[in-house]
Amino acid sequence: MAVVKADLQACQGYANCVIGADDVFDIDDDGVVVVLKAEIPEPDRRRVEDAARTCPVSALVIADDGAGE
Ligand code: SF4
């Protein structure tokens, strides 16, 4: 399992992440990313990582949740 971390200070509301994975990311009325689903099952990880990489300000990080360590 992976977890999504969003830097809300860095987010500029470009919404690239929403286009890439609209089941995981949304934008609120203030133009800041909302993480709809913080825990990402492994089958979805590649797709969500790809979406996170499209963020122009690198506000999104996908990390291991530490389980099994
Ligand atoms: S792509 Fe980055 S800057 Fe744009 S909404 Fe998503 S997190 Fe924010």
Side-chain angles (χ1 to χ4, degrees), residues 10-18 27 33 54-57 59-60:
C11 174
Q12 298 295 316
Y14 290 103
N16 300 23
C17 55
V18 182
I27 300 284
V33 69
T54 66
C55 176
V57 294
L60 301 171

Side-chain angles (χ1 to χ4, degrees), residues 2 7-10 13 17 19 21-22 29 34 36 38-39 41-42 46 48-49 52 54 56 58 65-68:
D7 182 341
L8 303 183
Q9 308 293 324
C17 55
I19 295 166
D22 66 358
D29 292 341
V34 178
L36 302 174
E39 296 188 342
E42 283 303 323
R46 172 75 66 88
V48 177
E49 281 180 338
T54 66
S58 303
D65 68 356

